[in-house]
Amino acid sequence: VGGGSAPDENSAKSARLSVDTTAGVRSGCLASVTQKVTVFGSGSFGTAMAIVVARNGYEVCILTRREEVASEINDRHRNKAHLEETLLPTNLSATTDVKQALEGTSYIIHCIP
């Protein structure tokens, strides 16, 4: 039954996303040479998704509606309201300004209930 061959390891690898983690990244929600991802929402899920994406080499900007959360993320690299024990990557920042968050964005992740 079936004469197909199993997928080879090289084709599976080529289907995976390739990320250049050596590209320069900056904090602040400005575009850079690295692709930028904007995460809508600074709750537990939004923060966790932002961490995963940032750890994969993307510049990440969290759009939050609370200025104190944006300041905490940008100044201390923490979100004390959610995942307070987790140190956030330096290529992850936050803003309350929609235009700033979306400037230069390649991808958007929606994490608002």
Side-chain angles (χ1 to χ4, degrees):
V1 171
S5 61
D8 74 20
E9 193 171 316
N10 289 332
S11 65
K13 284 181 184 176
S14 66
R16 294 183 190 139
L17 178 64
S18 175
V19 177
D20 180 6
T21 57
T22 62
V25 293
R26 307 181 273 186
S27 62
C29 293
L30 301 175
S32 70
V33 292
T34 302
Q35 284 188 317
K36 179 180 168 184
V37 176
T38 297
V39 175
F40 289 174
S42 61
S44 297
F45 182 59
T47 302
M49 290 300 293
I51 292 168
V52 169
V53 173
R55 287 180 179 169
N56 278 282
Y58 291 87
E59 177 184 350
V60 178
C61 181
I62 295 176
L63 178 62
T64 181
R65 53 191 173 95
R66 295 173 290 167
E67 186 61 48
E68 66 275 8
V69 172
S71 295
E72 181 80 12
I73 290 171
N74 294 332
D75 298 341
R76 299 204 170 127
H77 300 288
R78 301 234 185 238
N79 183 346
K80 68 180 181 180
H82 303 281
L83 305 177
E84 64 184 305
E85 298 298 318
T86 304
L87 183 63
L88 305 177
T90 58
N91 55 324
L92 190 159
S93 59
T95 186
T96 58
D97 184 294
V98 175
K99 285 185 180 182
Q100 185 180 14
L102 293 175
E103 181 181 343
T105 292
S106 299
Y107 305 99
I108 296 171
I109 300 174
H110 188 273
C111 297
I112 300 172

